[in-house]
């Protein structure tokens, strides 16, 4: 019969503490079956599952471990584990795992309580909780610069995935937070291509609306744009209507608008970190390549696919040049670029805000509706509204110390 114990230690953290205690354990021929540690502020909590040797008195070993823990000023708790309980624990290692990410400007106890209530109702067991965001000084007011993110590692299979998603959407809407849950598999840890919509995603404006203002048809175009983003109009139809209204606009306006494109909050930080860590990036936009290529040069984007503005004698013709980058083409382009980069589609991420992004979001391994309309937010796999684009780094598992801020 195997002698298995669960040993828990806690106390003041210091450099060399683990070294001192494991020097004691190394003197006994124990087998380390599992180990884990967490530190909050200056308090350490460490647990380990040990198989004690049959050749020695288990009670004597436990007594020695307690003695040395006391000498090191650590609280200790030792519990026996039966072989049957250990075998059940081993069998659980093949169970599905998920990563649940909670983002807010400042995460509160209520938000954690609501989220964990849903995981409990769904039969999911929380194994680990870590803070991904940085430490915030007490005198720093809550603002757009403050970002909080808690990541939960959960195990099991949801009883009702659709109901779970609906519950998370309800909590997100009521508490103004973002909740993302992803299957924790090899693909989640190896995303390599991120495809962005441009207007109202990578930049905080709709370029066609800016063009329309200069052409004196701002209200007409904005109304058509809004209907298209809500999914009330076919994209190609709406695009054709809006382009026709731009006929005669001088091409000199394009450079002026490009120079003053307002980047979305967190865009520079996100793109610079993606580049630094070897990700490929792409703009797949129903907007215009003139502006997409400007962003390519500014940010270091790898691929740009967007619509072409036809210019004759220095003026826009208002005609549409096919093929139009619509919803279907965006999805096809995502798969095309993934193939060219030698990637599985599950290694891709798509980010967009409009109804014409939904196909692209569904094709990607991780589809993120960013500050999107309700229809898009409810249909996409994940959504992000409380943070800037740099919040996507948290969904990828980045910790604050891994992120170099550029915005």
């Amino acid at each position: 019969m195997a002698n298995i114990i669960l040993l828990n230690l806690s106390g003041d953290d210091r450099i060399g503490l683990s070294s001192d205690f494991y020097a004691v354990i190394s003197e006994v021929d124990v087998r380390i079956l599992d180990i884990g540690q967490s530190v909050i502020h200056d308090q350490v909590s460490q647990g380990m599952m040990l198989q004690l040797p049959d050749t020695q008195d288990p009670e004597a070993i436990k007594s020695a471990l307690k003695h040395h823990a006391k000498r090191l000023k650590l609280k200790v708790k030792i519990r026996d584990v039966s072989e049957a309980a250990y075998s059940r624990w081993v069998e659980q290692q093949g169970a599905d795992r998920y990563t649940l990410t909670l983002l807010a400007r400042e995460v509160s106890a209520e938000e954690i309580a609501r989220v964990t209530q849903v995981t409990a109702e769904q039969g999911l067991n929380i194994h680990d909780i870590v803070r991904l965001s940085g430490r915030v000084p007490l005198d720093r007011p809550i603002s757009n610069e403050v970002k909080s993110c808690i990541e939960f590692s959960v195990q099991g299979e949801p009883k009702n995935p659709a109901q779970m998603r609906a519950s998370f959407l309800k909590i997100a809407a009521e508490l103004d937070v973002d909740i993302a849950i992803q299957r924790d598999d090899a693909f989640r840890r190896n995303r390599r291509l991120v495809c962005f919509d441009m207007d109202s995603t990578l930049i905080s404006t709709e370029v066609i609306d800016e063009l329309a203002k200069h052409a004196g048809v701002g209200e007409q175009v904005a109304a058509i744009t809004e209907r298209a983003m809500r999914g009330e109009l076919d994209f190609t139809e709406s695009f054709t209507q809006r382009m026709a209204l731009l006929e005669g606009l001088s091409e000199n306006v394009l450079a002026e608008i490009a120079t003053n494109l307002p980047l979305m909050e967190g865009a520079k930080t996100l793109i610079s970190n993606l580049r630094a860590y070897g990700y490929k990036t792409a703009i797949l936009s129903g907007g215009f390549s003139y502006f997409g290529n400007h962003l390519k040069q500014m940010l270091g984007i790898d691929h740009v696919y967007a619509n072409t503005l036809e210019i004759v004698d220095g003026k826009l013709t208002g005609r549409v040049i096919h093929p139009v980058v619509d919803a279907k083409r965006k999805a096809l382009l995502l798969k095309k670029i993934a193939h060219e980069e030698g990637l599985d589609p599950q290694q891709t991420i798509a980010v967009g805000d409009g109804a014409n992004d939904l196909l692209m979001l569904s094709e990607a391994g991780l589809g993120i509706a960013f500050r999107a309309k309700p229809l898009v937010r409810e249909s996409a796999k994940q959504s992000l509204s409380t943070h800037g684009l740099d919040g996507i780094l948290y969904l990828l598992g980045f910790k604050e110390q891994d992120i170099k801020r550029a915005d």
Side-chain angles (χ1 to χ4, degrees), residues 32 44-46 48 150-151 192 206 265 303 344 353 357 360 379 385 388 390 393:
I32 299 176
V44 63
S45 177
Q46 186 172 120
M48 63 196 82
I150 305 295
E151 182 182 271
R192 280 295 172 264
E206 293 283 332
E265 175 196 353
H303 306 272
D344 187 285
D353 72 303
D357 295 312
M360 175 177 73
S379 302
S385 298
D390 52 334
L393 294 170

Side-chain angles (χ1 to χ4, degrees), residues 145-193:
E145 294 181 1
V146 176
K147 304 177 192 302
S148 295
C149 180
I150 305 295
E151 182 182 271
F152 304 81
S153 176
V154 300
Q155 188 176 43
E157 189 61 36
K159 295 177 181 177
N160 188 327
Q163 184 183 66
M164 179 179 69
R165 173 168 167 69
S167 297
F168 284 149
L169 283 171
K170 184 174 185 291
I171 294 170
E174 291 176 354
L175 301 182
D176 192 23
V177 299
D178 291 315
I179 305 165
I181 185 163
Q182 308 171 58
R183 189 177 293 275
D184 187 14
D185 55 19
F187 288 125
R188 188 247 168 185
R189 296 184 291 275
N190 288 281
R191 313 285 191 203
R192 280 295 172 264
L193 170 65

